[in-house]
Amino acid sequence: MGGTGDCNSLLSNDVVPVPSGPPRKVEVEAVNSTAVKVSWRSPVPNKQHGQIRGYQVHYVRMENGEPKGQPMLKDIMLADAQWEYDDTTEHEMIVSGLQPETTYSFTVTAYTTKGDGARSKPKLVSTTGAVPGKPRLVISHTQMNTALIQWHPPVETFGPLQGYRLKFGRKDMDTLTTMEFSEKEDHFTATDIHKGASYVFRLSARNKVGFGEEMVKEISVPEEVPSGFPQNLHSESSTSTSVQLTWQMPLLAERNGIITKYTILYRDINVAYQPVELPVVPADTTMTLSGLKPDTTYDVKVRAHTSKGPGPYSPSVQFRTLPVDQGRT
């Protein structure tokens, strides 16, 4: 319709025209190989002509400066509370499902209940190249505190692969070991895989664009009895009838699970066949032995337990209670 028709319909139907100004400050930015972020502000207030109810983002693929294929659009409808009268609100939309390394043209329009308004000027943006998909990953735990890690290339590589990156470590530790491999390598044997612990493995493949999405696998190694003994057993203080003992957990690689308790074995060195065994539950690393004889030397050792049973005793440590006149009885 011509200008006269527009005027007549405006006067006769008493309608509000659509926005005569386009959305402003339209920006487009590639997020990754298949998505673009579009942001904009509302048209200037005196060109909105009513309450803006929403926006439409129009986009089309470009080849050699010309539109190619079907134009597409995404609609963003504003909730009632967002209907606009000012021009300060910033809007944004992520448009996904695009093709890698492809140029697109984007425009934005505002609409009222009466229809679409003016379009913004086209903005061109190119998606990035695609990174590889997830590699395939197989983890096999072996008995000798190692894990065999094997992998295969991703189904989608988007060009030649340039290598792999592996991150792995105990799940209860903050830091992961990171290693890089050439595109020709396809396995690695991780050592120091402790029994009774869970491990996470993260593998990604790289092409000229960068590293792709990680394939994540976890393994849990069954618990066993501790293979090592508690460390640094020593006496903190003593009286004529008691002694306070302190020690440290077995080495991490020798715990083979969660320490559930300790057992202390002690005896008067002059009485060979009457050791006393005391459980320490929960698994604290300190214990006070009481009811001892004054001025007497005792032999003490300690062992750790997991749910599977006890580990070896520590080497014996000897201490002597104080004479009666020096200690608190």
Side-chain angles (χ1 to χ4, degrees):
M1 289 167 61
T4 309
D6 286 344
C7 270
N8 288 341
S9 65
L10 175 61
L11 294 172
S12 60
N13 296 326
D14 196 24
V15 296
V16 179
V18 297
S20 59
R24 295 166 307 129
K25 298 193 175 180
V26 176
E27 301 289 345
V28 287
E29 175 189 357
V31 177
N32 54 39
S33 62
T34 60
V36 165
K37 183 173 83 170
V38 187
S39 58
W40 66 91
R41 288 192 178 186
S42 56
V44 292
N46 63 0
K47 293 187 176 180
Q48 291 185 14
H49 305 304
Q51 291 176 329
I52 290 179
R53 300 296 179 93
Y55 294 91
Q56 286 185 338
V57 174
H58 303 255
Y59 58 103
V60 66
R61 185 161 57 93
M62 303 290 284
E63 271 187 23
N64 301 319
E66 296 293 329
K68 191 83 175 176
Q70 286 292 104
M72 290 159 282
L73 72 84
K74 296 267 188 185
D75 193 285
I76 178 168
M77 186 179 293
L78 302 180
D80 292 2
Q82 293 177 295
W83 290 349
E84 296 175 335
Y85 294 100
D86 63 50
D87 60 348
T88 59
T89 310
E90 289 195 17
H91 299 278
E92 68 176 45
M93 172 188 283
I94 301 291
V95 177
S96 56
L98 306 177
Q99 296 177 16
E101 293 186 276
T102 303
T103 301
Y104 291 85
S105 172
F106 282 83
T107 59
V108 185
T109 61
Y111 61 84
T112 64
T113 53
K114 300 303 174 184
D116 295 353
R119 286 195 181 195
S120 64
K121 289 180 181 174
K123 287 268 186 170
L124 296 179
V125 62
S126 296
T127 52
T128 61
V131 293
K134 293 180 182 180
R136 288 164 290 165
L137 180 61
V138 179
I139 312 291
S140 313
H141 174 247
T142 66
Q143 291 306 306
M144 301 304 293
N145 286 1
T146 63
L148 176 61
I149 303 153
Q150 299 170 289
W151 58 86
H152 302 280
V155 175
E156 293 181 315
T157 60
F158 301 105
L161 288 185
Q162 296 182 354
Y164 297 91
R165 180 174 63 199
L166 175 69
K167 300 177 183 176
F168 69 97
R170 284 178 66 124
K171 283 187 68 178
D172 57 357
M173 296 290 173
D174 290 335
T175 54
L176 296 179
T177 299
T178 300
M179 304 188 70
E180 295 203 4
F181 301 92
S182 76
E183 71 281 3
K184 294 184 175 62
E185 294 177 275
D186 62 4
H187 69 278
F188 172 71
T189 300
T191 56
D192 293 329
I193 301 297
H194 308 147
K195 297 180 177 70
S198 294
Y199 286 82
V200 62
F201 299 85
R202 300 174 170 273
L203 183 74
S204 55
R206 179 165 62 94
N207 64 12
K208 68 175 184 179
V209 178
F211 283 101
E213 192 175 354
E214 292 179 327
M215 173 60 85
V216 181
K217 286 282 179 79
E218 294 181 5
I219 62 167
S220 293
V221 187
E223 283 198 332
E224 291 189 12
V225 300
S227 51
F229 50 80
Q231 303 286 299
N232 195 25
L233 171 63
H234 64 284
S235 164
E236 286 281 317
S237 61
S238 61
T239 70
S240 60
T241 58
S242 68
V243 63
Q244 184 183 9
L245 301 172
T246 299
W247 60 91
Q248 293 164 346
M249 300 175 76
L251 298 174
L252 182 63
E254 298 177 346
R255 290 176 202 165
N256 298 343
I258 296 170
I259 303 301
T260 55
K261 70 173 183 177
Y262 293 94
T263 305
I264 292 177
L265 194 70
Y266 71 98
R267 67 179 179 89
D268 177 343
I269 62 165
N270 298 308
V271 184
Y273 300 109
Q274 291 184 335
V276 178
E277 190 172 274
L278 279 181
V280 182
V281 184
D284 292 331
T285 52
T286 184
M287 175 76 170
T288 298
L289 302 182
S290 54
L292 306 178
K293 292 185 283 189
D295 203 16
T296 302
T297 300
Y298 286 85
D299 184 275
V300 185
K301 50 191 176 184
V302 61
R303 65 182 175 180
H305 298 244
T306 65
S307 65
K308 295 295 185 182
Y313 273 110
S314 66
S316 296
V317 171
Q318 294 188 346
F319 64 86
R320 191 173 185 86
T321 53
L322 298 176
V324 172
D325 58 356
Q326 293 183 14
R328 298 187 304 276
T329 58

